[in-house]
Amino acid sequence: MGKSGIVILFILGFVICTHAGNRFFLSASDSNPICKEVKSSVLWKYCFSVGVGKSVRKLILQFHGGGESEKTWFESTGLGEQVRQSWRNSGIQAPSIVSVSFGPMWLLSKRSLLPQSGLYEVFVNEIFPYIEKQLMNGRIDERILIGHSMGGFNAGTLGLQNAPFFSKIALLCPALGNEGSDIDSYIKKTGAWLPYARYLFKIRDQYFLSSTLETEVSPLTLIRRISPGKNGPKFFLSCGDKDQYGFYFGANTFIKLSKMKGFQVLWKPVANGQHCSVDTDALAKFLQ
């Protein structure tokens, strides 16, 4: 476990031990979440809904895709609503869910000379403790991590560096595959469309001082370095095989690497699916 994992372990242990009394959860639901703006070392936002019945202490941490917000998961259309509808149809009690955002575009890169960097440290040292203490009152039986597209990269880099804390990690059309590549080689390798590939590399340069720094925290690198996964989190991946960003290649590579490490993995590719095609029924069952 790295230094960041040790930091979280200490913080979570403190929070759980000191906030396990008879405090009540905030009043919120998936149809009426609490949404707030918080100023710590940086400005960030969240939306939070409390789980139902026995699922109240199961927490899903959700990261949105590029151009979206912390409210996207809770909208009446889209991925979040499809998952909730599947739960309702199956009589499944919804867990507690918190969606976190630093804005329409952000990556959990580690601190460097770039002004946009350092959000990984902010999340680990400031936001995670806030969620555990202020939103969940230290009462958590299970933690699940989910992210799509840009959020899939973020979920992967956070989850794999702190794997003991998550029972399940779902990566949906995750932004994987351009580590250490130039645009031409990335397109040749993944089949990405040129305008989409250019956009990917533009974003990468805003958050990583070099491709080496990106590669170090990429989920594809971290899954290679992580300890074998008999007792680790279960993984779910879903991606369209015609994803314009070329993310299908990265998702499929992640599946192969995670299976080699002995993790339990559910791979649900979507035939002829573009970005961001997801098997939502399978996802809903995985998150139960």
Side-chain angles (χ1 to χ4, degrees):
M1 183 186 303
K3 182 178 179 181
S4 59
I6 295 173
V7 170
I8 289 185
L9 178 61
F10 173 79
I11 290 171
L12 297 191
F14 174 80
V15 169
I16 292 172
C17 289
T18 55
H19 294 274
N22 294 320
R23 298 175 62 185
F24 292 97
F25 288 96
L26 298 172
S27 177
S29 66
D30 58 13
S31 60
N32 187 31
I34 291 175
C35 296
K36 289 188 177 182
E37 183 176 277
V38 181
K39 182 66 171 72
S40 50
S41 63
V42 300
L43 187 68
W44 59 281
K45 299 179 180 180
Y46 73 85
C47 286
F48 172 69
S49 67
V50 176
V52 178
K54 294 181 179 180
S55 295
V56 69
R57 295 192 184 189
K58 176 189 290 187
L59 175 65
I60 291 180
L61 172 60
Q62 191 268 341
F63 292 151
H64 65 79
E68 299 176 344
S69 77
E70 71 285 354
K71 297 181 180 180
T72 302
W73 178 268
F74 298 96
E75 293 174 349
S76 58
T77 59
L79 177 62
E81 177 56 25
Q82 291 177 52
V83 170
R84 290 191 294 273
Q85 186 60 53
S86 181
W87 286 339
R88 288 192 288 267
N89 292 342
S90 301
I92 302 300
Q93 294 179 322
S96 297
I97 300 176
V98 59
S99 178
V100 174
S101 179
F102 294 96
M105 180 60 63
W106 52 277
L107 293 175
L108 290 178
S109 58
K110 291 188 175 180
R111 190 163 288 116
S112 69
L113 295 177
L114 293 178
Q116 295 95 335
S117 68
L119 292 182
Y120 177 83
E121 287 87 352
V122 171
F123 196 94
V124 168
N125 297 324
E126 302 173 34
I127 297 178
F128 215 127
Y130 181 98
I131 292 171
E132 299 272 318
K133 177 180 177 180
Q134 301 298 329
L135 301 184
M136 295 297 292
N137 299 324
R139 299 189 294 180
I140 304 176
D141 295 332
E142 182 181 4
R143 299 173 186 83
I144 298 173
L145 186 56
I146 176 175
H148 67 275
S149 194
M150 172 195 79
F153 178 92
N154 290 327
T157 193
L158 176 69
L160 288 168
Q161 292 180 86
N162 302 278
F165 305 105
F166 299 102
S167 62
K168 299 176 182 178
I169 298 176
L171 307 179
L172 315 174
C173 51
L176 305 175
N178 65 324
E179 298 82 357
S181 304
D182 57 61
I183 291 180
D184 290 338
S185 62
Y186 177 73
I187 291 175
K188 183 177 181 180
K189 178 175 66 175
T190 67
W193 299 10
L194 179 59
Y196 293 84
R198 284 175 174 168
Y199 180 70
L200 281 180
F201 280 77
K202 178 182 178 181
I203 297 301
R204 182 182 75 176
D205 292 343
Q206 293 176 2
Y207 288 88
F208 297 98
L209 200 59
S210 68
S211 61
T212 300
L213 291 179
E214 180 202 20
T215 300
E216 288 178 355
V217 298
S218 164
L220 290 177
T221 300
L222 296 172
I223 193 65
R224 288 183 173 97
R225 295 176 178 174
I226 198 170
S227 300
K230 281 188 177 181
N231 298 316
K234 298 177 182 178
F235 290 102
F236 175 96
L237 276 86
S238 187
C239 187
D241 62 3
K242 300 294 188 296
D243 189 293
Q244 301 96 308
Y245 288 98
F247 292 161
Y248 180 82
F249 175 87
N252 196 37
T253 302
F254 185 93
I255 287 294
K256 293 176 182 177
L257 293 169
S258 57
K259 286 183 177 180
M260 288 173 59
K261 283 297 182 101
F263 288 98
Q264 295 185 53
V265 184
L266 183 59
W267 173 221
K268 289 292 182 178
V270 179
N272 298 313
Q274 294 191 335
H275 188 74
C276 188
S277 300
V278 173
D279 187 332
T280 52
D281 286 337
L283 173 63
K285 292 178 181 178
F286 175 79
L287 296 175
Q288 293 176 191

